Amino acid sequence: MKKIIGIGRFVFLWTLFGSVCGMSQEACPFGVSMHLDGGEEYSHMPENFRMLREAGIRWVRTDFSWSGMEGPQGKWHFDFLDRVVEEAEKQGLQILAPLLYNVPWANPAYAHPDAWLKYVEKAVTRYKDRVKHWEIWNEPNLYPRFWDRREDAANYALLLEATAKKIREIDPDAVIVHAGLAGIPTAYIEKSFAAGSGRSFDKFAVHPYRAPMDTWEATDRFCEDIRELRALMAKYGIEQKGIWFTEMGLTTMTGVTVRDRDAFHEDGKETGRDWRVAVVCDEDFPVDASISAQTLREFFPAGFRLDSIGIAGVRQIQREKYDAVFFPPADNFPLHISRMIDPYLTRYLREGGKIYCYTKTGSMYYYGDAREKETAQAVFIAQTLLLSLRFGIERYFWYEMESPEENIFDREDNFGLTHRGLGPKPAYFAYATAGRLFPEGSAIDSSVEWKQKDCCVVNWRRPDGTRVWAVWSPEGVRQVNVKIGRGLQQAFHCLGTPLPAVTEAARSLEVGPEVIYLAGPESLDIQ
């Protein structure tokens, strides 16, 4: 496992602003949704918890699932959750605990209220002195993945009401969170509110996943989604209840595009030399019989240097040796061999390599741009986090901490802040930079216009009185005229890198999608 406890690039932030170890974890807005009921994220405690702590992240959302506690019926298990709660306490982390899902003897759960409430009672009674925040279910608007009936907000509202009542009987101080809904499904939300769910929860949760916000249209849509949700809550008289994003994320799965043969040849010309290509073919991956050696020679014109490698050779492949890996047409790729080679292809893509799969129909599937995807994820987390704070979102949980990365072609495997083994992606540093610059007690200045001269601007004051400004432009890079007020201490890139060229005397800034932070000035005029 790669050790990164020091996180050297944040030493300057620590020095400039001081330690945040005294932060109140309950008031901190930053969290991560994790899978701590087993697997890598469980086995990598407490290392991953220390990384969260060092990044200024104070919340962990992890399932307290029924099936994890009881099974078979009447047999209760708490060892793994006891360890999760203990390790979180050691690192000063606050837990958001979703109670969720069916079990074979009570399916669906809402139709077996006695059994469900017994599970709720067991969980809350055991952890009531250490866990205060309970989220009731997860994405019940996703049918049939997490709920057995389509658009069944009424039955969810009944389950929520009964669960909230039971929790408050055990712990009157508990905070009840409405199930995080996939997206911001206004029709489902209205049905939930109309069924009376607003009487039962203290905080409302959604999972507003979306594509990169690299246009003004996408940026405006995100802000408008928040406004529309608040308006809907106001319609039912519950606008005072906070909104939590209990999942938010962007996958770094490598982009998949379809290219023709000419485009493939153009890629090769970009290097300015013979393109080095590894052609995969062995007994476990035979080239389709209809594809002759002559066909392959015709596919690769002059300027390509080809090496034939077997499946075992993929495990040793390196970007320094090959510009691309090429999979010729075959009947069985990639299903039966994907698990054997995906970790090695993932590493190769992260190093900047390219992968091509050529089909019998003549289509070319291209996998690449891994570094660009990771940069886009870091930009996305900074933008959405800052706009969430600006528009009053109380908690922001990124999904997830550690990417499983078992399959480079699976978007679900590549959402994490870190790679498998806890090697940080740029998004981890982007989150940590925000965590350092926005400690507990910071207050957003909503009087500052968030949209100024084709720039997004978010401003807040830290508890020590320091003002911090965040500036970016969703569409492209541009020079903007600025007047930076007195008191500038330092400027940072969204990944935490200092920008020494930015001083109070600067009259222009190069602004693009990657957020720039200015710490200290009392004013910032975008002209």
Side-chain angles (χ1 to χ4, degrees):
M1 186 195 313
K2 185 175 181 181
K3 300 288 185 180
I4 55 173
I5 296 301
I7 314 177
R9 78 169 71 189
F10 291 110
V11 169
F12 72 91
L13 282 173
W14 187 281
T15 302
L16 180 61
F17 292 124
S19 169
V20 292
C21 287
M23 181 184 287
S24 165
Q25 62 265 35
E26 185 169 339
C28 172
F30 306 126
V32 172
S33 184
M34 302 176 70
H35 297 291
L36 296 170
D37 50 354
E40 296 292 313
E41 290 194 304
Y42 180 80
S43 65
H44 288 166
M45 290 188 305
E47 179 85 352
N48 46 21
F49 280 5
R50 285 198 294 268
M51 289 177 66
L52 294 178
R53 178 78 184 171
E54 291 186 354
I57 299 167
R58 295 295 180 269
W59 284 83
V60 172
R61 175 182 183 258
T62 187
D63 294 349
F64 278 46
S65 65
W66 190 356
S67 61
M69 291 187 196
E70 185 181 11
Q73 186 175 6
K75 300 288 186 180
W76 294 89
H77 317 276
F78 300 99
D79 290 351
F80 81 96
L81 282 175
D82 287 349
R83 182 183 174 225
V84 169
V85 173
E86 180 181 353
E87 294 291 354
E89 286 182 329
K90 287 179 181 178
Q91 294 299 324
L93 302 178
Q94 190 82 358
I95 289 177
L96 172 60
L99 298 170
L100 34 68
Y101 304 147
N102 308 310
V103 290
W105 58 92
N107 186 5
Y110 66 80
H112 299 80
D114 291 343
W116 166 264
L117 292 176
K118 181 178 180 181
Y119 145 66
V120 172
E121 182 177 14
K122 287 276 190 180
V124 177
T125 300
R126 187 174 186 89
Y127 298 109
K128 66 178 181 178
D129 296 327
R130 307 162 82 182
V131 176
K132 291 294 184 181
H133 298 80
W134 303 92
E135 185 176 357
I136 315 307
W137 213 268
N138 175 67
E139 299 184 348
N141 60 315
L142 281 193
Y143 163 87
R145 186 173 182 182
F146 296 126
W147 199 260
D148 74 315
R149 295 173 61 182
R150 192 185 303 275
E151 291 294 323
D152 193 25
N155 271 322
Y156 171 73
L158 292 174
L159 180 78
L160 173 64
E161 181 181 17
T163 306
K165 180 180 178 181
K166 173 61 69 175
I167 291 174
R168 289 179 174 127
E169 287 174 357
I170 301 167
D171 181 9
D173 297 325
V175 176
I176 310 300
V177 183
H178 187 287
L181 300 174
I184 306 181
T186 53
Y188 184 99
I189 293 169
E190 180 139 28
K191 289 177 182 177
S192 176
F193 292 168
S197 67
R199 298 189 298 268
S200 301
F201 66 80
D202 302 301
K203 307 295 179 182
F204 187 75
V206 289
H207 300 165
Y209 290 97
R210 61 198 59 227
M213 299 203 305
D214 51 8
T215 65
W216 273 110
E217 181 181 6
T219 302
D220 287 337
R221 181 70 262 170
F222 179 73
C223 300
E224 188 59 29
D225 284 347
I226 297 174
R227 293 192 190 99
E228 289 178 358
L229 177 56
R230 289 199 181 281
L232 188 54
M233 294 176 72
K235 177 180 177 180
Y236 285 88
I238 52 174
E239 66 274 18
Q240 77 283 2
K241 298 192 176 188
I243 300 173
W244 291 17
F245 290 171
T246 54
E247 285 184 26
M248 183 60 156
L250 185 71
T251 185
T252 57
M253 181 189 77
T254 55
V256 182
T257 57
V258 179
R259 299 188 174 188
D260 59 22
R261 186 180 304 191
D262 290 339
F264 175 68
H265 295 162
E266 288 301 315
D267 288 342
K269 293 177 184 178
E270 291 177 1
T271 62
R273 53 168 169 74
D274 285 354
W275 220 35
R276 302 163 301 186
V277 181
V279 181
V280 180
C281 180
D282 70 4
E283 292 181 355
D284 286 327
F285 182 61
V287 173
D288 184 82
S290 66
I291 305 299
S292 66
Q294 178 63 30
T295 303
L296 286 179
R297 281 195 296 271
E298 292 172 355
F299 189 90
F300 296 102
F304 286 81
R305 194 182 76 199
L306 309 180
D307 288 341
S308 178
I309 66 171
I311 295 301
V314 174
R315 299 174 183 177
Q316 283 81 44
I317 198 165
Q318 294 181 346
R319 174 66 179 85
E320 292 78 13
K321 187 174 182 180
Y322 294 110
D323 298 296
V325 178
F326 180 82
F327 290 92
D331 290 325
N332 48 15
F333 180 79
L335 297 180
H336 83 297
I337 60 169
S338 61
R339 284 192 171 272
M340 297 169 57
I341 61 176
D342 278 350
Y344 309 101
L345 293 176
T346 298
R347 183 203 65 208
Y348 174 72
L349 285 168
R350 290 207 305 263
E351 293 170 350
K354 303 175 186 294
I355 298 173
Y356 297 84
C357 304
Y358 186 53
T359 71
K360 289 190 290 185
T361 61
S363 298
M364 173 68 67
Y365 289 91
Y366 164 69
Y367 300 83
D369 303 326
R371 292 175 180 172
E372 288 84 350
K373 287 286 185 178
E374 291 181 11
T375 299
Q377 185 192 50
V379 170
F380 180 83
I381 198 172
Q383 292 178 350
T384 56
L385 186 153
L386 290 165
L387 288 175
S388 298
L389 293 173
R390 170 61 178 79
F391 287 97
I393 302 303
E394 292 183 356
R395 299 288 181 272
Y396 177 104
F397 290 78
W398 184 261
Y399 180 86
E400 57 191 322
M401 178 62 178
E402 182 177 6
S403 297
E405 290 182 346
E406 293 180 352
N407 185 347
I408 59 172
F409 309 117
D410 184 352
R411 65 190 302 272
E412 292 287 339
D413 269 11
N414 296 276
F415 274 95
L417 295 173
T418 76
H419 296 294
R420 186 184 181 103
L422 297 182
K425 296 180 187 178
Y428 172 79
F429 296 115
Y431 207 174
T433 301
R436 296 288 184 210
L437 291 171
F438 196 98
E440 182 269 332
S442 297
I444 289 286
D445 186 349
S446 57
S447 69
V448 174
E449 288 294 328
W450 74 274
K451 186 188 289 188
Q452 302 181 31
K453 307 289 186 179
D454 291 326
C455 292
C456 294
V457 180
V458 179
N459 173 246
W460 63 93
R461 191 178 293 277
R462 294 164 50 89
D464 63 3
T466 302
R467 274 194 179 271
V468 182
W469 301 79
V471 184
W472 72 96
S473 177
E475 296 184 357
V477 177
R478 67 194 68 209
Q479 288 289 138
V480 297
N481 295 325
V482 298
K483 184 177 180 181
I484 301 173
R486 291 184 178 181
L488 177 66
Q489 299 174 30
Q490 201 162 3
F492 312 110
H493 181 267
C494 66
L495 300 186
T497 307
L499 300 173
V502 179
T503 67
E504 288 182 15
R507 291 296 174 260
S508 69
L509 283 178
E510 185 177 85
V511 180
E514 300 179 10
V515 174
I516 295 173
Y517 295 101
L518 306 177
E522 279 296 311
S523 62
L524 177 67
D525 184 14
I526 307 290
Q527 301 175 336

